[in-house]
Amino acid sequence: MGHLDHAAYGWLTPVLSYGMAAVGAALGLRCTVRALAAQGRSRRNWLITAASAIGTGIWTMHFVAMLGFAVGGTEIRYDVPLTLLSLLVAMLVVGAGVFAVGYGQGRTLALCLGGLTTGLGVASMHYLGMAALRLHGQVEYDALLVALSVVIAVVAATAALWAALNIEAPFAVVGASLVMGAAVSSMHYTGMLAVGVRVTPSGSPPAGATAMQFIFPLAVGLGSYLFLTAAFVALSPTARERAAYARAGQDDRTEQPAPSEQPAPSERAQQTERVRRAGQPATGPATTP
């Protein structure tokens, strides 16, 4: 077995990957909260944003962590189509779970179905991403640790969706996101502990793209998407805030007096108007011809 290093750059990749998972979870939870308070097309759009945020965050977490993965005796490269497919799978299965919660009739059933679907999707993304590895050797897995990583993924996904259904306060969402980030990271590193590699030395590099050629630029781009979308969500008003603005506008309009409620003219103004209509000057004694 070749020597495996899961943190070739020290704590840099584990901390960054955890941050990506937590940011994606926070953004996804906030979007789900917005979706549950909306109707029609707005709900659908918020759920799509939530699915893309959580899926992107999980995928970015995985491959940022993989930047620190090294195997003694062989270079590591990545199959580009399989790597992109893992990103698509992450978004689609997370979307299925989020939509199950967003449109489910029975909350408990929707939560269980959504958590199971999302958790299995997260695990599928992880192992599909591992299948994209190209190196000189054979990758093997410990079945017990693989099963444990899948259980962690399902539990983490169910907990995240439960938080989306039951937590609205921003600080509570932050706390739930930190827990979700820790759960996703735990799932990843549990899955990585299940990995063993039988290295077959070779003088030629393996096929595929290096991490710096492909994974790093894509992870930076998706990370930027997460932060920009998070800024958009943070700055956009919630349904409650829009309702408050609408009530404030109605209050401003009702404070303006209606035409029939205009104050009556003064007695002097009424006398002036009567004299003007009679063809007399408004002030001074009347003159005789």
Side-chain angles (χ1 to χ4, degrees):
M1 287 290 182
H3 171 70
L4 306 185
D5 189 348
H6 298 287
Y9 300 103
W11 284 100
L12 178 62
T13 50
V15 171
L16 283 179
S17 62
Y18 169 74
M20 291 295 100
V23 169
L27 180 55
L29 292 180
R30 290 303 296 163
C31 290
T32 306
V33 170
R34 300 284 185 90
L36 294 175
Q39 297 294 332
R41 184 180 301 176
S42 179
R43 170 173 290 196
R44 182 201 62 191
N45 292 341
W46 279 119
L47 290 174
I48 291 174
T49 305
S52 66
I54 297 175
T56 299
I58 293 171
W59 187 94
T60 306
M61 176 271 150
H62 171 82
F63 280 100
V64 167
M66 291 301 293
L67 291 175
F69 179 65
V71 180
T74 180
E75 182 182 353
I76 295 177
R77 296 197 175 191
Y78 294 89
D79 182 287
V80 174
L82 269 180
T83 304
L84 293 176
L85 178 61
S86 68
L87 173 60
L88 180 61
V89 166
M91 291 185 178
L92 289 178
V93 295
V94 171
V98 169
F99 270 79
V101 169
Y103 288 100
Q105 298 298 322
R107 174 165 291 197
T108 301
L109 178 61
L111 179 61
C112 293
L113 179 61
L116 179 63
T117 302
T118 304
L120 292 177
V122 170
S124 299
M125 182 281 303
H126 174 87
Y127 289 105
L128 189 58
M130 293 299 295
L133 289 180
R134 294 293 177 264
L135 47 78
H136 292 303
Q138 181 179 358
V139 179
E140 300 176 351
Y141 292 95
D142 182 305
L144 182 60
L145 287 175
V146 169
L148 179 59
S149 69
V150 174
V151 171
I152 293 174
V154 172
V155 172
T158 305
L161 294 177
W162 177 89
L165 287 171
N166 295 278
I167 296 177
E168 295 187 12
F171 288 109
V173 169
V174 170
S177 303
L178 295 177
V179 174
M180 176 65 177
V184 172
S185 296
S186 299
M187 177 266 163
H188 171 83
Y189 284 105
T190 300
M192 294 307 295
L193 287 177
V195 174
V197 179
R198 295 186 180 275
V199 177
T200 305
S202 175
S204 61
T210 66
M212 290 302 172
Q213 287 175 337
F214 174 61
I215 299 299
F216 181 73
L218 186 57
V220 170
L222 292 175
S224 301
Y225 160 77
L226 282 178
F227 282 105
L228 290 175
T229 308
F232 166 76
V233 172
L235 294 174
S236 63
T238 64
R240 185 176 300 174
E241 290 171 342
R242 287 195 298 269
Y245 296 153
R247 286 195 300 269
Q250 291 176 355
D251 292 342
D252 290 341
R253 287 193 297 271
T254 55
E255 287 177 1
Q256 298 294 330
S260 59
E261 298 176 353
Q262 294 291 340
S266 66
E267 184 178 349
R268 175 64 178 175
Q270 293 177 356
Q271 181 181 4
T272 302
E273 179 63 19
R274 286 196 299 269
V275 172
R276 185 187 65 77
R277 290 180 179 178
Q280 300 295 330
T283 59
T287 59
T288 59

